[in-house]
Amino acid sequence: MALAWRPLTAAAAVIAYTLVSRQTSWSYSELIRKFCGLWFSGLSLYVVWTVILYPKLFSPLRHLPSPPGGSFWNGHFSAINAHPTGIPMREWINTIPNNGLIRYAGIFNQERIMPTSPKALADVLVTRSYDFEKPSQVRNSIGRILGIGVLLAEGDQHKIQRKNLMPAFAFRHIKDLYPVFWQKSREAIQAMTREAHEGVSKLAVAQNGSKGIESSIRKGWASFEVSEWASRATLDIVGVAGLGRDFGAIHNPDNELSSRYRVLFTPSRQARMLGILGLFVPTWITNRIPVKRNNDIALAARTIRAVCQDLIREKREKLARKELTDVDILSVAIESGSFSDSELIDQLMTFLAAGHETTASAMTWAIYMLCLHPEVQTRLRQEIRENLPSMDSDSTVSSLDIDRLEYLGAVINEVLRYYAPVPLTIREPLVDTVINGEHVPKGTRVIICPWAINYSTELWGEDAGVFKPERWLAKDEHDKKKAASASNYAFMTFLHGPRSCIGQAFSKAEFACLLAAWIGRFEFELKNREEYDERNMLIKGGITARPAKGLHVHAKVVEGW
Ligand code: HEM
């Protein structure tokens, strides 16, 4: 709830001046005293209105069904704060009877509404999509790093950017990137295999020398932290396929470019504190507080933008010499002739941010689910090995080779449904609008929650909470066109409509190549046996959701491929 600082300050100043200037003699100190008194009184009234009176007595949405409990002044914040992003909403959607909208209260009773039905989602995402924007706090805090690329642009600016970028993300172009995805997946696997062999032989020495060291690792098994490797691989993929520049993170995660990049998107305590402060104080103030986090961000953003600038110059020169044949997204965008250099830099920063941790999160959850379901892991490995070239062979793959693997497609869709990398996102209507027939005032926070929608028993059936790739398999030829659920709006992982993920085809192809490479080569088991019970898996919520302590696995090279 950003406070209305400017109107409050202006009103207090005008009233204080009017009151004081009516007196025959007055001093500046009296003016300041009056101003402060009025300002704090105004603030108190504002707080009482927004925290108590409006949500409880005046909001036109107060009749909507809400979760039980909640504090008088702090709504459901304690439940929201106690769990990772999206978890309480996942429970509410299936336990609170509703007609398409649930209302709950966030910190200081800030009103939130969550669409739950296809009709309500269609209103926000498609029918009235441009009535809604991302909250300005989100735009201002992320925009200073990324610039205003397609992720943060709004209104007409967004329409133009999206239209000009669409060709670069169309499937007819993405299909040319499969060999890049495959090559990078192979590089990651070869690096992991080397590390696995080294780990195993070190372990053998250790076990011979001193009994009990890492005794939890069985013979022939190495250990990995999955999200770290996934992140390195997806950073290099988006670097090469998006910008035409290899970050080199697979081979050296500590090189300058990837370490700077990681600073930008690694959540820290200070980042969280600044985020909370940003709820009450304008972001132009929080961004300027001289703390380490702000300095690190400024430096990292400068470095990466300079690299993007160099890349653009190189590619423009190639284009002028008619030598630009690269297939990366940047080259396609440059060839379109629709973007200036600074606009291109904003787009590149956006692709790096939007396309890196999201796919890494999907990979991490995929390995977790395949550890929980070894029978799925075995069946998937069999399909991969029967149909794709080995990691040691120099053969590449085409989109046809990957996309015809039905079980791989089913596993990928089910992982993306079950653990959507982006648990929730926020919108705010710019104008008074209507959702599902309800009048929704301008400024009301609307929560689109893939973690809730993807788990809705109404949309997916009673087994919505079960990991079941089979739901995506066509039972027969007639069944092929049928979706796994009753509605297109049941799968919210990439949203829908004009603000849906532009990188959907890119990420699914990338995810398929990576997962095929990992599962084809390794057998995975969880290191921490307690995590075989999903209730013991601690999740770190943020823009993307991840296992809070990383995903530690034992991995064994499966010979014969
Ligand atoms: C599994 C991987 C991915 C998931 C789950 C995902 C999910 C999403 C979601 C939920 C949004 C909407 C965010 C919002 O408006 O609040 C989004 C937008 C976006 N994504 Fe993705 N994404 C993934 C991968 C990628 C990749 C690989 C790229 C680019 C290379 C990408 C580029 C974008 C862009 C540019 C937008 C903004 C689109 C717009 O507003 O018009 N994403 N993504």
Side-chain angles (χ1 to χ4, degrees):
M1 173 183 44
L3 294 177
W5 297 105
R6 281 188 198 143
L8 174 64
T9 310
V14 170
I15 298 172
Y17 182 75
T18 313
L19 290 177
V20 171
S21 63
R22 283 187 178 171
Q23 295 168 203
T24 42
S25 77
W26 56 275
S27 64
Y28 280 108
S29 62
E30 193 186 348
L31 177 65
I32 290 169
R33 261 201 321 277
K34 278 239 165 3
F35 168 77
C36 291
L38 283 162
W39 195 87
F40 281 107
S41 310
L43 181 67
S44 312
L45 284 177
Y46 180 81
V47 169
V48 171
W49 168 253
T50 49
V51 178
I52 313 286
L53 298 178
Y54 179 78
K56 294 199 182 292
L57 301 175
F58 293 97
S59 164
L61 299 167
R62 63 191 188 282
H63 64 283
L64 290 175
S66 294
S71 124
F72 180 71
W73 60 277
N74 211 17
H76 303 96
F77 183 69
S78 61
I80 297 166
N81 200 33
H83 299 284
T85 321
I87 292 280
M89 296 81 190
R90 182 181 269 188
E91 189 197 318
W92 294 339
I93 199 169
N94 289 329
T95 52
I96 301 171
N98 68 89
N99 286 326
L101 283 175
I102 289 176
R103 172 181 183 256
Y104 63 92
I107 190 166
F108 298 141
N109 279 344
Q110 289 177 82
E111 191 166 54
R112 309 275 187 255
I113 53 170
M114 178 171 82
T116 60
S117 69
K119 166 79 177 82
L121 288 162
D123 279 344
V124 180
L125 298 175
V126 179
T127 328
R128 297 189 167 80
S129 158
Y130 284 101
D131 276 3
F132 297 88
E133 286 191 346
K134 298 194 171 89
S136 56
Q137 274 155 260
V138 173
R139 262 208 322 279
N140 295 340
S141 57
I142 309 182
R144 74 168 162 149
I145 305 176
L146 307 182
I148 304 297
V150 66
L151 179 69
L152 298 177
E154 298 290 355
D156 288 344
Q157 193 189 8
H158 175 262
K159 281 184 198 157
I160 296 169
Q161 291 194 10
R162 178 129 181 157
K163 183 168 155 272
N164 290 332
L165 284 172
M166 278 309 278
F169 284 97
F171 187 72
R172 69 171 185 285
H173 173 234
I174 298 299
K175 74 177 173 19
D176 296 337
L177 293 173
Y178 278 65
V180 177
F181 299 148
W182 189 248
Q183 173 54 27
K184 279 282 150 200
S185 304
R186 280 184 61 209
E187 265 178 43
I189 280 300
Q190 283 159 355
M192 288 168 76
T193 310
R194 267 196 306 279
E195 196 177 293
H197 285 321
E198 279 166 19
V200 168
S201 51
K202 270 189 211 145
L203 179 71
V205 173
Q207 277 177 338
N208 287 340
S210 89
K211 271 189 198 157
I213 292 182
E214 291 249 27
S215 57
S216 63
I217 303 185
R218 282 171 287 131
K219 213 168 165 236
W221 291 72
S223 89
F224 289 120
E225 200 285 288
V226 173
S227 57
E228 163 73 16
W229 271 105
S231 212
R232 284 160 68 176
T234 56
L235 179 57
D236 280 1
I237 290 180
V238 78
V240 175
L243 287 68
R245 165 66 64 100
D246 197 338
F247 278 72
I250 290 174
H251 297 295
N252 177 11
D254 299 322
N255 72 35
E256 201 208 345
L257 200 52
S258 54
S259 350
R260 288 255 182 268
Y261 179 82
R262 272 193 293 176
V263 166
L264 285 183
F265 297 104
T266 309
S268 68
R269 216 178 126 78
Q270 252 182 25
R272 198 172 144 76
M273 301 301 289
L274 289 171
I276 293 178
L277 197 61
L279 289 173
F280 309 101
V281 175
T283 27
W284 61 265
I285 296 185
T286 53
N287 290 352
R288 283 176 174 75
I289 299 175
V291 288
K292 185 172 177 307
R293 172 78 188 161
N294 279 338
N295 297 340
D296 287 351
I297 284 190
L299 180 62
R302 255 201 321 275
T303 312
I304 297 172
R305 294 181 84 85
V307 171
C308 293
Q309 178 69 68
D310 283 350
L311 277 171
I312 293 167
R313 203 196 51 249
E314 279 167 29
K315 283 189 191 284
R316 284 212 193 277
E317 285 167 7
K318 269 185 164 181
L319 184 67
R321 295 195 304 270
K322 299 200 171 33
E323 287 169 6
L324 189 63
T325 52
D326 306 345
V327 290
D328 56 86
I329 305 265
L330 170 61
S331 300
V332 178
I334 288 184
E335 272 177 300
S336 78
S338 317
F339 296 99
S340 69
D341 281 12
S342 76
E343 285 165 347
L344 280 172
I345 295 178
D346 291 351
Q347 303 301 353
L348 292 182
M349 295 295 285
T350 300
F351 304 152
L352 283 175
H356 163 223
E357 289 299 342
T358 41
T359 317
S361 154
M363 264 306 283
T364 307
W365 289 120
I367 299 299
Y368 180 53
M369 291 324 285
L370 294 178
C371 287
L372 296 196
H373 300 274
E375 71 294 351
V376 178
Q377 194 180 145
T378 307
R379 180 171 167 189
L380 181 59
R381 183 171 303 108
Q382 193 180 342
E383 184 186 61
I384 291 162
R385 288 176 158 230
E386 279 169 8
N387 292 284
L388 296 178
S390 147
M391 288 290 99
D392 296 328
S393 124
D394 285 332
S395 316
T396 187
V397 298
S398 70
S399 60
L400 285 177
D401 297 325
I402 295 285
D403 294 345
R404 75 192 157 92
L405 301 190
E406 283 193 349
Y407 199 60
L408 177 62
V411 171
I412 278 170
N413 281 331
E414 185 64 349
V415 170
L416 289 169
R417 179 190 76 87
Y418 197 87
Y419 275 117
V422 179
L424 66 71
T425 182
I426 310 174
R427 296 287 187 269
E428 253 178 37
L430 285 176
V431 288
D432 291 349
T433 187
V434 173
I435 305 176
N436 207 34
E438 296 287 346
H439 168 80
V440 177
K442 172 182 168 181
T444 309
R445 288 262 162 115
V446 179
I447 306 295
I448 311 286
C449 185
W451 274 31
I453 307 296
N454 290 4
Y455 259 63
S456 160
T457 49
E458 185 84 22
L459 297 169
W460 290 93
E462 283 310 312
D463 63 359
V466 180
F467 179 78
K468 194 171 140 194
E470 288 69 25
R471 75 175 80 237
W472 296 92
L473 293 177
K475 289 170 200 68
D476 52 47
E477 277 304 307
H478 298 293
D479 194 44
K480 277 213 160 131
K481 285 215 169 97
K482 262 202 230 158
S485 71
S487 157
N488 282 340
Y489 289 91
F491 185 71
M492 268 298 126
T493 302
F494 297 100
L495 305 193
H496 264 288
R499 300 307 303 242
S500 62
C501 175
I502 202 172
Q504 179 169 348
F506 180 115
S507 65
K508 283 176 95 172
E510 172 191 14
F511 184 20
C513 290
L514 279 168
L515 192 61
W518 285 41
I519 295 298
R521 167 60 52 102
F522 291 110
E523 182 180 342
F524 292 99
E525 286 183 1
L526 293 179
K527 193 165 173 182
N528 178 356
R529 304 210 66 83
E530 284 178 4
E531 288 173 352
Y532 276 104
D533 182 341
E534 264 185 275
R535 287 167 301 185
N536 295 331
M537 170 52 84
L538 296 178
I539 299 173
K540 182 169 71 187
I543 293 177
T544 56
R546 295 282 193 98
K549 295 179 182 162
L551 181 66
H552 298 272
V553 292
H554 291 156
K556 184 174 79 172
V557 173
V558 185
E559 301 298 343
W561 185 58

